[in-house]
């Protein structure tokens, strides 16, 4: 079903979370941006149009029009960007797919959820606040647990991937894209059985 305003509407909003700026490139918290950039490369089109407090582009993925966005609000205010895009295109929350990092998962492991709590992730928490619901699909990407309990979580997620981890993550990018396509095709359950774990 097509949601939108009838003039260049989109079927889905794909929100790829991260922090803007060179300082944050290739950090664990920026896994979402990495996924967006990979999609842009595969579509031969950069995600660089500044709209709705995000860098955006509209792609056709699996025959559906998808607004891909990299919020430039910084992680903790990501919901502001999502709310603007959702309001403009009149997209239902169940057609907002969020890609984020997850420190509870080993590097490169995926976890697909139909909805639920933020699990301590401030970007997800802010999106839930601004959408007024936690019922939107999310694709969480493992970045590994912090090395010991006393290690500061902010330092961990804002740290850069060592080469082995970066390669493990890069190897999973095609699976991430395939999982996103299944979700947008209405096959979230299949995506879960195929890619979770």
């Amino acid at each position: 079903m097509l949601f939108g305003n009838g003039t260049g509407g989109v079927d889905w909003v794909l929100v790829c979370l991260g922090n803007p700026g060179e300082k944050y490139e290739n950090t664990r918290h920026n896994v979402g941006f990495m996924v967006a950039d990979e999609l842009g490369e595969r579509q031969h089109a950069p995600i660089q149009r500044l709209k709705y407090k995000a860098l955006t582009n509209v792609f056709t993925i699996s025959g559906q029009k998808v607004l891909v966005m990299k919020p430039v609000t910084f992680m903790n205010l990501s919901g502001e960007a999502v709310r603007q895009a959702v309001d403009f295109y009149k997209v239902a929350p169940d057609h907002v797919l969020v890609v984020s990092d997850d420190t509870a998962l080993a590097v490169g492991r995926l976890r697909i959820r139909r909805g639920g709590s933020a699990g301590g992730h401030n970007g997800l928490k802010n999106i839930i606040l601004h959408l007024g619901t936690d019922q939107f699909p999310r694709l969480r990407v493992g970045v590994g647990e912090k090395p010991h309990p006393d290690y500061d979580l902010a330092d961990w997620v804002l740290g850069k991937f060592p080469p082995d981890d970066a390669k493990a993550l890069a190897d999973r990018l095609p699976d991430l894209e395939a999982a996103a396509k299944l979700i947008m095709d209405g096959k979230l359950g299949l995506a879960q059985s195929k890619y979770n774990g």
Side-chain angles (χ1 to χ4, degrees):
M1 177 180 176
L2 176 70
F3 293 91
N5 54 17
T7 55
V10 299
D11 302 287
W12 279 85
V13 175
L14 176 60
V15 183
C16 300
L17 295 181
N19 286 309
E22 281 182 37
K23 175 183 174 183
Y24 299 103
E25 282 179 12
N26 301 314
T27 59
R28 294 177 180 90
H29 229 15
N30 271 34
V31 160
F33 278 17
M34 293 176 200
V35 172
D37 291 340
E38 175 74 10
L39 265 178
E41 280 186 31
R42 288 169 180 264
Q43 295 267 347
H44 307 292
I47 298 164
Q48 62 185 24
R49 186 173 182 205
L50 187 58
K51 288 184 83 172
Y52 323 114
K53 295 187 180 182
L55 297 174
T56 68
N57 206 334
V58 176
F59 297 146
T60 299
I61 301 173
S62 289
Q64 303 192 74
K65 286 182 77 176
V66 180
L67 175 75
V68 181
M69 59 191 308
K70 295 164 59 177
V72 295
T73 55
F74 287 94
M75 184 68 78
N76 295 1
L77 300 174
S78 300
E80 293 178 6
V82 177
R83 180 82 249 179
Q84 284 191 16
V86 164
D87 284 350
F88 181 80
Y89 286 110
K90 298 179 173 50
V91 174
D94 66 354
H95 277 57
V96 175
L97 173 58
V98 180
V99 180
S100 68
D101 59 294
D102 192 328
T103 57
L105 297 173
V107 175
R109 286 189 67 181
L110 308 182
R111 179 173 293 152
I112 297 158
R113 291 266 169 87
R114 193 175 299 275
S117 77
H121 192 285
N122 288 331
L124 288 170
K125 199 179 296 181
N126 196 251
I127 293 169
I128 290 168
L129 174 72
H130 281 272
L131 289 183
T133 180
D134 63 5
Q135 292 306 297
F136 55 86
R138 66 280 311 257
L139 182 49
R140 299 185 75 152
V141 185
V143 297
E145 291 186 65
K146 57 185 186 174
H148 54 81
D150 296 334
Y151 200 101
D152 184 70
L153 183 61
D155 287 344
W156 179 248
V157 295
L158 296 177
K160 295 192 185 293
F161 286 103
D164 286 354
D165 286 358
K167 184 185 183 313
L169 190 64
D171 289 346
R172 290 310 303 270
L173 287 172
D175 288 340
L176 275 157
E177 185 180 9
K181 284 180 176 177
L182 282 173
I183 294 166
M184 291 176 193
D185 282 343
K187 299 173 182 172
L188 187 141
L190 177 59
Q192 287 177 311
S193 63
K194 198 166 181 183
Y195 295 109
N196 274 5

